[in-house]
Amino acid sequence: MKKWFAVIGDPIAQSKSPEMHNTWYEQDGLDAAYVPIQVKAEDLEKAVNSFKLLGVSGFNITIPHKTTIIPFLDEIDETAKHMGAVNTVVRLQNGNLKGYNTDGDGFVRSLEEKIGQEHRHQPLLIIGAGGAARGIAYALKKSGYEDITVTNRTISKAEDIIDALGSGKVITSDEVSKSLGQYKILIQATPAGMQYGGEVSLPFSIEQMSKGVIAADIVYNPLMTPFLRHAKAIGGTVVTGVGMFVHQGAIAYEHWLGHYPKTEFMIERITKQLNEA
Ligand code: ATR
């Protein structure tokens, strides 16, 4: 029987998830389809119940529903519960809908695909303290990153993340302007630089990045944000948001279908599309 999957969000038209998952189904010879569905905030509960009734095999959740969906699901994975955000839902054998979060692990896979595991002891700074930053912070800690600092425009949210992690530091935007050069790994986890995110810019200067910096961004459209462009210009290593996007989808795919799909060609393909856009 044909399986069906979806991604829900608002807006949703720009999502690259349908093309990515449908390509994987085709490659793996699966009789399955993945569709984008726009769901308004006030319709979220009804949408989740309808999906359940209509026998969805699984779905992804994107902005703005990652947190608000939690009360409408039957079960939540422990890590997703800690993160306070769900991006993947799996229909279990008994019909229950269970929420997971694959964003953080997707980010770490993408980062380590590029830089390996030898930087886990190096000082690392996460910029931002929203849902994405929180998921990334958990996944990094779980993977053995030892020296995590978080900075955010609203400092209390950075403190919440560090409290939840049980280790790490918080620094203000003013402090970042002075100490940026001390961090080997910088992770940009806000919408700054995003094509459709309005004119968001970081509340500190990025001039002080060190030459050997490893700079990673969660934004993938455009591929090269001002943050990444600066890192590249001074000779740093750059990790675009495409790898995180593909790996979060691949981990979701594995939850649904039991094996990890091919990611390398997918990262190349989406990177090429964005380069040409
Ligand atoms: P998500 O859950 O997708 O990460 P979010 O919860 O809205 O999205 O978080 C967005 C992040 O970008 C937050 O760290 C936010 O800072 P605040 O916590 O101070 O709101 C940050 N952000 C958004 N707009 C910003 C701006 N103009 N300048 C600096 N930081 C910004």
Side-chain angles (χ1 to χ4, degrees), residues 15-28:
S15 174
K16 290 199 167 289
S17 291
E19 190 192 331
M20 177 166 75
H21 284 274
N22 285 319
T23 302
W24 280 331
Y25 303 152
E26 218 171 284
Q27 277 194 337
D28 293 342

Side-chain angles (χ1 to χ4, degrees), residues 63 128-133 152-154 157 189-191 199-203 218:
I63 290 170
N152 192 43
R153 178 179 58 178
T154 311
K157 283 168 69 183
T190 81
E199 286 297 302
V200 178
S201 58
L202 295 173
I218 65 163

Side-chain angles (χ1 to χ4, degrees), residues 44-45 48 65-74 76:
L44 185 60
E45 182 172 14
V48 172
H65 305 314
K66 288 188 187 187
T67 301
T68 45
I69 194 167
I70 290 177
F72 309 136
L73 299 173
D74 303 305
I76 308 289

